[in-house]
Amino acid sequence: MRQRNLRDLQVSSIGLGCMGMSAFYGTADGDEGVRTIHRALELGVTFLDTAQLYGPLTNESLVGEAIRGHRDEYVIATKFNYRMDNAVPGDMSSIGPQDGSAEHVRSSIHGSLERLGTDYIDLYYQHRVDPNVPIEETVGALAELVAEGKVRHIGLSEASAETIRRANAVHPIAAVQTEYSLWTRDPEDEVLPACRELGIGFVPYSPLGRGFLAGRFTSPDDLDANDWRRTGPRFTGDNLEANQRLAAKVKEIAAEKGVTPAQLALAWVLAQGEDIVPIPGTKRVGYLEQNAGAVDVELTKEDLARIEAEVPRAAGERYDEAGMRSVNL
């Protein structure tokens, strides 16, 4: 697979979001998750994304199991944010408050290294910006981990343009991870321009609209009872009806191109710039193989203009009220 650069970090053009293998998206299947990660290596999808929060803790352990014996063939990104001092694997109620302090940065890395079975993290993100701790303190501590060789590159997730600039003044930021897709275009206003101004790579998560743009479900009733999307603002009420029309348009254009809706949606993200590396998440080999095929989909100027004209942004916020308070800080 072709490669792209997140600042000085070279990664596969498409990554693999591993969260759903362990948490949030219905029933987890660890064995299938491991098979998916192994198949990713065969396809050249070597950029893996995980986090301490996923599980909590269990997703890092799953990724660590899957990469054993092949660590240096993958580029591993993980994230810290919430206190995990008393966290019980798999029990979200056991996590502590978010903490961007230097002390927590220094202590949190050890658990990730142990669970992943490695002595370094390729890309270490702050999962959410802590509004109670200056970003300069957090990034200063991350820079110390780089100097110690425990972390090779630093990233931020869901940070505002102002925070990105302040962070980058302390230490070069390799990547900013934010939700971005055909129906989530907010980063185009300030965050993506700031990244380009500073030479920072951009990593869109949920580039398939949490599977909705791919046609993998059309209603919350299609999802497992414990899937958080069942109550998401974009998947309920009038928003759902409007977004079903949006997904139908993506499906229509994809059919005319002879590709799947997922491939069209990913090809659109890839076409937004060589500094963009989407990380579609999946827990199944079949969907991984389909997603990887998006790198070979060519969208013409006419295709892109049509998509711009005919595919609207989503109806509804991407998170509930509490979730929205934690983004773009």
Side-chain angles (χ1 to χ4, degrees):
M1 178 173 287
R2 294 187 295 273
Q3 303 286 293
R4 290 188 170 190
N5 290 324
L6 302 172
R7 199 165 210 138
D8 299 324
L9 176 62
Q10 189 174 75
V11 299
S12 53
S13 295
I14 285 180
L16 172 60
C18 298
M19 180 186 77
M21 299 174 186
S22 302
F24 304 123
Y25 285 178
T27 304
D29 183 342
D31 290 340
E32 179 67 6
V34 170
R35 285 192 291 270
T36 301
I37 292 171
H38 290 170
R39 179 60 176 147
L41 182 60
E42 295 171 352
L43 294 170
V45 180
T46 53
F47 182 35
L48 305 183
D49 184 88
T50 181
Q52 295 177 0
L53 180 66
Y54 302 160
L57 308 178
T58 54
N59 195 243
E60 285 186 326
S61 296
L62 183 150
V63 171
E65 174 189 349
I67 67 174
R68 188 175 301 125
H70 296 275
R71 165 64 185 96
D72 291 339
E73 297 175 68
Y74 291 96
V75 177
I76 306 299
T78 191
K79 313 176 198 72
F80 77 95
N81 184 31
Y82 295 94
R83 299 292 309 200
M84 297 288 174
D85 310 70
N86 300 308
V88 177
D91 181 3
M92 288 297 294
S93 68
S94 67
I95 64 174
Q98 66 176 334
D99 186 354
S101 69
E103 178 276 324
H104 184 226
V105 171
R106 288 190 288 265
S107 64
S108 68
I109 188 68
H110 302 294
S112 289
L113 292 172
E114 180 178 356
R115 287 184 290 274
L116 288 164
T118 184
D119 57 3
Y120 69 96
I121 304 297
D122 295 289
L123 178 56
Y124 200 42
Y125 292 99
Q126 183 181 23
H127 205 155
R128 292 290 189 273
V129 174
D130 184 346
N132 299 312
V133 176
I135 194 64
E136 291 82 359
E137 177 180 339
T138 305
V139 175
L142 287 167
E144 293 176 7
L145 297 182
V146 173
E148 294 168 7
K150 295 173 183 174
V151 169
R152 295 192 171 173
H153 301 271
I154 295 171
L156 300 175
S157 180
E158 290 288 2
S160 68
E162 178 187 359
T163 298
I164 293 165
R165 290 190 178 94
R166 288 169 53 199
N168 195 71
V170 177
H171 186 280
I173 302 299
V176 168
Q177 182 179 131
T178 296
E179 184 173 351
Y180 182 56
S181 67
L182 273 170
W183 75 350
T184 300
R185 306 281 289 276
D186 307 8
E188 295 174 353
D189 298 333
E190 295 182 357
V191 171
L192 189 50
C195 288
R196 288 179 166 155
E197 169 193 326
L198 300 169
I200 299 171
F202 188 73
V203 179
Y205 71 85
S206 296
L208 298 178
R210 306 186 188 281
F212 194 75
L213 297 178
R216 291 171 186 167
F217 68 98
T218 58
S219 159
D221 296 334
D222 299 334
L223 302 170
D224 290 347
N226 61 340
D227 191 312
W228 81 270
R229 291 171 292 183
R230 290 180 67 93
T231 57
R234 291 184 174 176
F235 307 117
T236 54
D238 293 340
N239 290 339
L240 174 62
E241 185 176 344
N243 291 332
Q244 285 171 331
R245 292 193 294 270
L246 185 160
K249 177 57 69 173
V250 172
K251 182 178 180 180
E252 174 191 327
I253 298 173
E256 293 179 18
K257 290 285 294 183
V259 300
T260 69
Q263 289 170 338
L264 182 81
L266 287 171
W268 179 88
V269 173
L270 289 165
Q272 303 312 301
E274 288 292 321
D275 54 351
I276 293 178
V277 179
I279 49 169
T282 186
K283 51 187 175 181
R284 296 182 177 90
V285 169
Y287 289 154
L288 166 73
E289 293 172 340
Q290 184 184 136
N291 293 344
V295 298
D296 297 319
V297 176
E298 297 290 340
L299 296 180
T300 65
K301 290 181 179 179
E302 291 75 18
D303 291 329
L304 293 170
R306 180 185 177 192
I307 291 169
E308 181 70 26
E310 298 184 15
V311 180
R313 301 189 186 195
E317 298 283 9
R318 50 199 181 101
Y319 293 110
D320 62 17
E321 186 176 344
M324 291 303 296
R325 287 197 298 267
S326 72
V327 301
N328 199 37
L329 295 180

